[in-house]
DNA sequence: GCGGGCATTGTAAACGTTTACAGTCAAATT
DNA sequence: AATTTGACTGTAAACGTTTACAATGCCCGC
């Protein structure tokens, strides 16, 4: 099957020149005569010769490959980041490898060893991490990795790790949501969050509680530990079973749209009318969020933008050492029908 | 930043042995004395030396890397395939690179050139392709690629390309759906399909029309050319505007769940009650399909299974030349509420 | 004491490129 | 006519490993 490829020497021989000349033809080096160029090109075309990028990488100390570490590529949030990052990399003739850091899996030294062995040109990290006390010690592991290659992160700054990072301020985002719901007249609002004590979860909780307190509203929470629609359904069921009916919240904020999907389903199953009996707001604005029933009000996070910018910056570190910095973006509240502010306007049929 | 890594020679020197001995220690070669082993290991640990996999790859003519060609990683269908394939590869110490063949983009010779240059150990292909007349000539391009590395495909057999392939028979799937809807009493059924003349679309159309004819039912179609929820919404709107109200279908089959998402939304927006006014069936059983309103009846395609098996087979070609074969799987009809066969049973609140 | 066998280690070639440097040759300059 | 120039091309080292083969030294049986 895999026919032994021609090497640059084979080509050189057949064209009656040295390997160096073939190499020069390949890279369009100026110092090669028209005649030789044509002659060598002909042989290259004849055998459809492609230089071995592994050999080239060895010499140039670059694999033209970037690594991307994230918890899951099937999660639409990370898929969007990855996809944009990949496009940007490909545009620059780089290739991207995913390293999956399974949710809650320990990031071990062996894990980063793999990246180091592969001699990647850089790494983009996105995912949750636990402050300070992190038993997996993500910061330490990434710090070690950084001694070998540049890192750009798409998440709040990781303490101790000095690198470029880009993220969206979801503490601010949650404040926006709370203010919006408060303005709509909701007094009792629940937050369906997560049990993991990651920074990104903590940010959202803080935004929620702070702003609730500021507005003098009644906060309830129901954390769950896995971010799936199933868990969203479970969480809201637990919440509404736990709380007396007359003390039910009138609005739910769900930590991400994936869980919100399950929340909506469960509320429907319980026979509640949305958004009148219960308003729901999500977070992330996934591709499906405009198509839920009712369409989901949510916070938009520009995942594609994050992925693209992060990869651009990572590629740039190749040429010039860029000093570390943090870029914070502001989430936008996308108002749809599920919060009750925007009555759905059915498209008329003719 | 990237500190120059130690080489095997540095280690050898410090341990007072030759590079060959270090190499033997690394690969746990039997012929090395306990004493030397310990001594060399110590130096390796001391500097946390990791062999350069690029240099190794050059010699062993293997990058321990597999390529995966697919249209889009943000599409949950392909994300699931990819994720499973990746897990399987990682388990075998392989790494995976995605090559995105943008939807409807021409697969060009330059595209496969990139794969060849990278000297991948194999390629897994999944995506649509157009029979015979394909202007992009996917078959020809893949045939060329196959001269350089083994290929496994997750799609119906590509004419002219002799390789291992795994797919789910959606012609059979559509027959199942039609029979199911027929049994529920539907006489007039519409198929919301796709305009692209790919084999996988064609299969579904054939299954639909054949079975409709066999049952003597009334077939309507509305093809659209991009597989998004937006297009699903658009398609159903066009369909219902085009057809006289009294000739409306009572059931819709949508070519995939992504489009079905938009279909459901549009039907709700038009004020129809589902499934009573209109039954809906999708295809693919995506992660969100159990959480739509009403939950979506659909055909299950074991994407994870496809991805895992395909990668296993690809890895195996390394050891032993496996003769080409085709493995066809049978889709399972998942009956949920959207087709009206299974009345939703709301979970009771206490 | 000597050859054979064995365990261990070293030597050197090989993998397929790129590139600094040196060389060649013809044309241009003096 | 000798020298300089410049365009072009070849030589060889280098990148960091692995591995076939050779070499060493030791123990054993004779």
């Amino acid at each position: 099957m895999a026919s032994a490829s021609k090497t640059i020497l084979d080509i050189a021989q057949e064209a009656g020149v040295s390997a160096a000349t073939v190499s020069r033809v390949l890279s369009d080096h100026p110092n090669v005569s028209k005649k030789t160029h044509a002659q060598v090109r002909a042989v290259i075309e004849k055998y459809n010769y492609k230089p071995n990028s592994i050999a080239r990488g060895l010499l140039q100390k670059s694999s033209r490959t970037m690594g991307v570490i994230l918890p899951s590529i099937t999660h639409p949030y990370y898929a969007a980041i990855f996809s944009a990052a990949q496009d940007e990399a490909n545009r620059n003739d780089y290739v991207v490898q995913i390293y999956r850091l399974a949710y809650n899996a320990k990031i071990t030294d062996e894990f980063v060893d793999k990246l180091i062995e592969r001699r990647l040109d850089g790494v983009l990290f996105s995912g949750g991490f636990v402050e300070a006390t992190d038993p997996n010690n993500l910061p330490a592991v990434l710090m070690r990795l950084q001694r070998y290659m540049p890192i750009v992160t798409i998440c709040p700054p990781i303490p101790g790790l000095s690198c470029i990072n880009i993220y969206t301020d979801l503490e601010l985002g949650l404040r926006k949501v709370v203010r919006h719901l408060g303005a709509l007249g909701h007094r009792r609002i629940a937050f369906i969050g997560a049990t993991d004590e990651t920074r990104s979860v903590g940010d959202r909780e803080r935004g929620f509680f702070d702003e609730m307190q500021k507005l003098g509203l009644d906060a309830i929470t129901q954390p769950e530990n896995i971010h799936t629609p199933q868990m969203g359904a479970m969480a809201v069921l637990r919440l509404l079973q736990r709380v007396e009916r007359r003390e039910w919240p009138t609005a739910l904020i769900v930590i991400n749209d994936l869980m919100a999907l399950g929340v909506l389903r469960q509320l429907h199953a319980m026979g509640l009318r949305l958004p009148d009996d219960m308003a729901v707001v999500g977070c992330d604005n996934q591709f499906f969020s405009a198509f839920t029933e009712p369409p989901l009000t949510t916070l938009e996070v520009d995942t594609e933008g994050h992925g693209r910018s992060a990869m651009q910056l990572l590629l740039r570190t190749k040429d010039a050492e860029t000093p570390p910095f943090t870029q914070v973006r502001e989430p936008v509240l996308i108002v749809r029908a599920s919060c009750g502010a925007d009555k759905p306007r059915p498209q008329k049929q003719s």
Side-chain angles (χ1 to χ4, degrees), chain A:
Chain A
M1 184 170 299
S3 62
S5 291
K6 294 270 176 202
T7 74
I8 200 171
L9 271 175
D10 298 327
I11 303 300
Q13 207 168 334
E14 175 139 353
V17 298
S18 72
T21 301
V22 177
S23 177
R24 279 188 278 255
V25 169
L26 284 170
S27 53
D28 280 324
H29 192 92
N31 274 1
V32 56
S33 72
K34 290 226 180 311
K35 183 160 147 282
T36 316
H37 190 102
Q39 187 178 323
V40 172
R41 258 268 151 256
V43 183
I44 290 178
E45 301 300 338
K46 176 174 171 195
Y47 294 110
N48 214 282
Y49 162 74
K50 296 298 155 200
N52 181 328
S53 72
I54 298 184
R56 173 185 288 161
L58 179 58
L59 196 53
Q60 304 191 148
K61 298 177 174 313
S62 159
S63 53
R64 291 197 85 79
T65 303
M66 295 294 182
V68 177
I69 307 181
L70 31 80
S72 160
I73 188 66
T74 55
H75 192 303
Y77 174 85
Y78 294 109
I81 289 180
F82 174 83
S83 181
Q86 189 199 221
D87 275 358
E88 193 59 35
N90 289 354
R91 208 193 312 284
N92 290 276
D93 228 338
Y94 269 71
V95 135
V96 155
Q97 288 175 358
I98 301 187
Y99 290 81
R100 200 160 71 77
L101 187 58
Y103 189 75
N104 269 346
K106 277 177 80 134
I107 180 169
T108 58
D109 280 326
E110 292 97 69
F111 183 85
V112 307
D113 283 352
K114 301 212 171 184
L115 308 204
I116 297 174
E117 278 181 38
R118 293 271 177 177
R119 298 293 193 274
L120 303 178
D121 292 340
V123 158
L124 195 156
F125 172 88
S126 183
F129 65 94
V130 179
E131 292 270 18
T133 63
D134 190 336
N136 304 330
N137 213 354
L138 177 74
V141 178
L142 288 184
M143 277 165 71
R144 179 161 88 85
L145 182 56
Q146 196 181 218
R147 292 212 300 275
Y148 295 88
M149 56 192 75
I151 299 183
V152 172
T153 63
I154 302 183
C155 59
I158 297 176
L161 185 72
S162 161
C163 66
I164 298 176
N165 67 339
I166 300 183
Y167 75 105
T168 293
D169 182 357
L170 288 176
E171 179 178 337
L172 171 60
L174 263 285
R175 289 182 196 280
K176 286 188 180 188
V177 173
V178 169
R179 280 199 291 267
H180 179 72
L181 289 173
L184 290 176
H186 293 279
R187 296 286 80 121
R188 198 186 296 272
I189 305 175
F191 180 63
I192 299 202
T195 49
D196 43 338
E197 293 161 2
T198 59
R199 163 78 194 262
S200 60
V201 170
D203 280 1
R204 278 174 265 198
E205 276 178 356
R206 192 169 336 108
F208 172 72
F209 281 117
D210 277 14
E211 198 64 27
M212 288 295 283
Q213 193 170 19
K214 201 176 288 178
L215 300 186
L217 303 180
D218 244 12
I220 313 173
T221 57
Q222 178 70 41
E224 290 294 339
N225 70 346
I226 301 192
H227 304 172
T228 59
Q230 284 79 2
M231 274 301 132
M234 184 69 83
V236 72
L237 184 63
R238 288 221 188 102
L239 174 74
L240 297 185
Q241 283 178 338
R242 200 187 75 195
V243 177
E244 290 261 17
R245 175 114 203 185
R246 62 193 150 74
E247 302 201 335
W248 272 12
T250 59
L252 298 175
I253 305 176
V254 189
I255 196 161
N256 64 44
D257 286 2
L258 214 52
M259 287 182 78
L261 210 51
V263 167
L264 291 175
R265 172 87 276 275
Q266 183 60 38
L267 295 175
H268 279 295
M270 293 169 84
L272 296 177
R273 287 167 315 130
L274 311 184
D276 299 333
D277 293 343
M278 189 76 75
V280 178
V281 179
C283 180
D284 286 348
N285 194 31
Q286 301 286 310
F287 69 85
F288 54 78
S289 304
F291 297 94
T292 59
E293 205 49 47
L296 191 61
T297 292
T298 189
L299 284 168
E300 177 160 70
V301 175
D302 178 17
T303 41
E304 286 87 0
H306 289 185
R308 198 177 330 110
S309 302
M311 184 53 76
Q312 276 167 1
L313 290 163
L314 194 55
L315 289 164
R316 203 170 302 160
T317 60
K318 181 98 178 186
D319 314 322
E321 205 82 0
T322 322
F325 66 90
T326 292
Q327 179 182 317
V328 186
R329 303 196 179 178
E330 190 166 326
V332 178
L333 182 67
I334 309 278
V335 177
R336 299 203 184 93
S338 74
C339 63
D342 175 24
K343 284 291 160 195
R345 280 174 282 252
Q347 247 180 299
K348 279 245 190 61
Q349 34 158 319
S350 62

